[in-house]
Amino acid sequence: MGRTYIVEEAVGQYLSNIDLQGKTFVSGLLIGQCSSQKDYVILATRTPPKEEQNENLNHPRAKTDNVDEEWTSEHANQVSRMLPGGLVVLGVFIITTLELANDFQSALRRLVFAVEKSVNKKRLWSFTEDDVSERVALHICSSTKKIFCRTFDVCDPKSSARPADWKYQNGLSTSWPSLQCTVHINIHIPLSTTTVSCTLEKNTKNGLTRWAKQIENGVFLINGQVKDEDCDLLEGQKKSRGSAQVIHHSFDVKVLTQLLLSSDQRSTATVQICSGSINLKGTVKCRAYVHSNKPKVKDAVQAIKRDILNTVADRCEILFEELLLNENPGKKVMNPGKELHILPHRVFVPIPGSTVMLCDYKFGDELAEEIRDHFIEMLDQRIQLEHLEVAEELNTACMSSSVGSDPSLGNTDDDEQPTQPIKTTVVLKIQQNIGVIAACVVAVLAAGISFHYFSD
């Protein structure tokens, strides 16, 4: 028996409203959450067409030639950044005319594997044996609206299609529990003489991978308590009575990491000649959501844990892309000293009719209208600017040009106003000695008082 997909009715309406407008097909992504028993689809978004595809509508190529796996994969990569913990790209959909239905089956399979490869490529976490490895390929006939739902095991390159059930449900995510977490990070990444020549992105990724293991092995307190991972997350919580009353459960999560090695482990010191270091410091806001069908504690912990890892990695990746776009071709060597680059901060926006919020990242000079346009382009969602929730507000960072000293990144005004909301700044500091990048620092400044349990 194949998997069952429980789908928000609004997703069905969205897919029914898509018009081919003379095209041979329209493809897109399906977004939701996996569970051991069934998967939940709460959002669908068409992949925006390339400009050249728009120009060539009058001269369409034969059948599946226009299926661009690279373009769809890049769309999936961008969309995955906009998903909080617990949400993933579950698969792809494609809408075609009746006569071309059979021609796109192999193209659908290629899209499923290409999309999964793209979104997994830069993750700091790996699949576990409890993770669902099946991804959905949905084919819809534009005239009859008939649906063909199949799945592929993305961990098996030779996987064949398996039939799956596609069932609609109204108000699917109106009562999904949410988890919120504020995490302080302090990551030190030494750059040896052999790694300093590598790209800034690669060195940062290597350091983040080591830090990710600390998060993976951390202890997560839910509302101040350590709960058994197999317990029901909603155990002891107030339940809704009657169909008209919907209770939204929200949980506060704290993270503890080990200070000392256990007694059976030996600690060894390593002396390494370094040309510099990378330091990541600061505070990040994380959110995750789990389905409301008897969710387990381990599902909630995994969702918030992966959001912590994703949001730190995504911010760095977005900055590196920004630096490449604005790179001066004539500038071969950086000037000695320190450069401060402000990383994007996180913003959230609600999905209509759901407790789930999507997210995006915004640089300080970006307007709210640009965020709105990005949601339209990537998720085909029209958001209200007044619903935009800025999780982290941008402050001024202190910049130092001294090569040998650390700049002070504190804000003396913060402690004087403990009642103010938390404000966060993320800063990347690049230090160079004798024409070689010696260090870079990413910092997130938190204003106000934030109690956290986090070390190393």
Side-chain angles (χ1 to χ4, degrees):
M1 183 178 178
R3 292 191 65 78
T4 297
Y5 288 85
I6 309 299
V7 188
E8 170 60 51
E9 284 189 355
V11 172
Q13 189 62 47
Y14 174 84
L15 295 174
S16 298
N17 291 339
I18 293 179
D19 188 354
L20 292 181
Q21 296 179 338
K23 304 175 186 176
T24 56
F25 74 95
V26 170
S27 64
L29 308 174
L30 298 169
I31 298 164
Q33 185 169 116
C34 297
S35 74
S36 58
Q37 300 297 324
K38 59 190 70 174
D39 292 349
Y40 304 89
V41 182
I42 66 170
L43 204 63
T45 176
R46 73 179 88 190
T47 298
K50 277 186 173 181
E51 291 183 2
E52 56 265 33
Q53 287 178 344
N54 288 327
E55 294 172 359
N56 294 331
L57 281 179
N58 295 327
H59 305 281
R61 290 179 286 178
K63 297 182 180 180
T64 64
D65 289 351
N66 283 321
V67 178
D68 193 330
E69 297 170 33
E70 184 178 354
W71 182 252
T72 304
S73 298
E74 179 57 30
H75 179 221
N77 188 45
Q78 295 289 327
V79 166
S80 65
R81 294 175 179 174
M82 305 173 75
L83 304 180
L87 295 189
V88 296
V89 177
L90 290 174
V92 299
F93 71 84
I94 195 164
I95 302 174
T96 70
T97 57
L98 180 61
E99 56 271 18
L100 293 178
N102 294 327
D103 298 326
F104 281 87
Q105 299 310 310
S106 60
L108 260 178
R109 187 184 190 281
R110 294 197 305 270
L111 279 181
V112 168
F113 280 87
V115 163
E116 188 66 20
K117 182 180 179 180
S118 177
V119 297
N120 279 331
K121 185 170 54 178
K122 296 185 178 180
R123 282 175 177 165
L124 296 177
W125 49 270
S126 302
F127 264 35
T128 68
E129 58 182 13
D130 293 329
D131 279 309
V132 177
S133 59
E134 289 188 70
R135 293 295 181 261
V136 62
L138 187 73
H139 178 249
I140 303 174
C141 175
S142 60
S143 56
T144 64
K145 304 300 180 183
K146 189 174 181 179
I147 290 177
F148 300 91
C149 184
R150 299 177 178 88
T151 62
F152 295 92
D153 186 347
V154 292
C155 290
D156 180 9
K158 297 181 180 179
S159 171
S160 58
R162 298 181 60 191
D165 291 332
W166 185 264
K167 299 180 180 180
Y168 290 108
Q169 179 179 320
N170 187 33
L172 177 61
S173 58
T174 54
S175 60
W176 280 18
S178 64
L179 301 99
Q180 300 190 36
C181 184
T182 301
V183 176
H184 179 73
I185 61 173
N186 187 0
I187 308 167
H188 182 74
I189 309 169
L191 298 180
S192 67
T193 53
T194 58
T195 62
V196 72
S197 59
C198 297
T199 63
L200 181 63
E201 183 175 4
K202 184 176 181 179
N203 280 321
T204 304
K205 175 68 181 294
N206 291 338
L208 288 178
T209 301
R210 293 190 291 270
W211 164 75
K213 294 179 181 178
Q214 287 185 301
I215 299 297
E216 291 281 4
N217 297 326
V219 176
F220 287 72
L221 305 180
I222 299 178
N223 287 347
Q225 297 179 335
V226 177
K227 296 188 176 184
D228 186 273
E229 63 176 15
D230 291 321
C231 286
D232 188 342
L233 177 67
L234 302 178
E235 184 179 4
Q237 299 293 317
K238 185 179 179 181
K239 297 182 179 180
S240 60
R241 296 182 179 180
S243 57
Q245 184 182 7
V246 176
I247 296 178
H248 171 230
H249 299 284
S250 180
F251 298 89
D252 180 61
V253 180
K254 305 294 183 184
V255 187
L256 300 173
T257 56
Q258 289 182 329
L259 285 172
L260 301 173
L261 295 173
S262 59
S263 57
D264 59 342
Q265 290 180 296
R266 293 187 61 186
S267 177
T268 58
T270 302
V271 177
Q272 190 177 38
I273 300 176
C274 294
S275 301
S277 65
I278 299 174
N279 290 303
L280 290 90
K281 292 182 179 180
T283 306
V284 292
K285 298 288 191 67
C286 306
R287 291 187 186 179
Y289 300 87
V290 290
H291 61 84
S292 54
N293 184 23
K294 297 181 180 179
K296 299 294 184 181
V297 169
K298 63 180 179 182
D299 300 327
V301 169
Q302 184 188 76
I304 193 69
K305 184 186 297 183
R306 290 180 175 177
D307 191 58
I308 295 171
L309 303 179
N310 289 343
T311 188
V312 173
D314 288 343
R315 294 167 201 258
C316 295
E317 185 181 351
I318 292 170
L319 177 66
F320 297 143
E321 292 173 358
E322 185 75 9
L323 293 177
L324 286 174
L325 287 174
N326 299 322
E327 186 179 19
N328 184 356
K331 185 178 179 180
K332 299 297 183 181
V333 179
M334 292 176 53
N335 296 324
K338 299 174 183 177
E339 296 183 7
L340 293 176
H341 300 281
I342 299 177
L343 283 164
H345 54 284
R346 205 174 192 183
V347 295
F348 290 93
V349 64
I351 298 177
S354 172
T355 59
V356 177
M357 300 186 79
L358 302 171
C359 70
D360 202 357
Y361 295 93
K362 174 181 178 296
F363 283 100
D365 57 352
E366 284 187 274
L367 301 176
E369 288 77 10
E370 294 179 76
I371 298 296
R372 179 187 60 194
D373 295 342
H374 193 232
F375 268 93
I376 294 175
E377 181 183 13
M378 292 292 108
L379 292 170
D380 208 8
Q381 292 278 316
R382 296 188 178 275
I383 65 172
Q384 302 297 321
L385 294 182
E386 58 269 21
H387 295 159
L388 200 66
E389 179 183 327
V390 181
E392 298 154 1
E393 222 172 337
L394 208 60
N395 283 332
T396 303
C398 177
M399 185 181 300
S400 172
S401 60
S402 173
V403 173
S405 62
D406 236 354
S408 173
L409 295 178
N411 188 336
T412 57
D413 294 334
D414 295 345
D415 295 332
E416 298 175 3
Q417 300 179 11
T419 59
Q420 294 297 316
I422 293 176
K423 298 182 179 181
T424 307
T425 298
V426 190
V427 179
L428 173 69
K429 178 183 67 183
I430 303 178
Q431 177 179 327
Q432 180 182 357
N433 289 317
I434 319 176
V436 180
I437 296 180
C440 63
V441 176
V442 179
V444 187
L445 298 180
I449 292 181
S450 171
F451 293 98
H452 56 81
Y453 301 88
F454 191 86
S455 61
D456 279 358

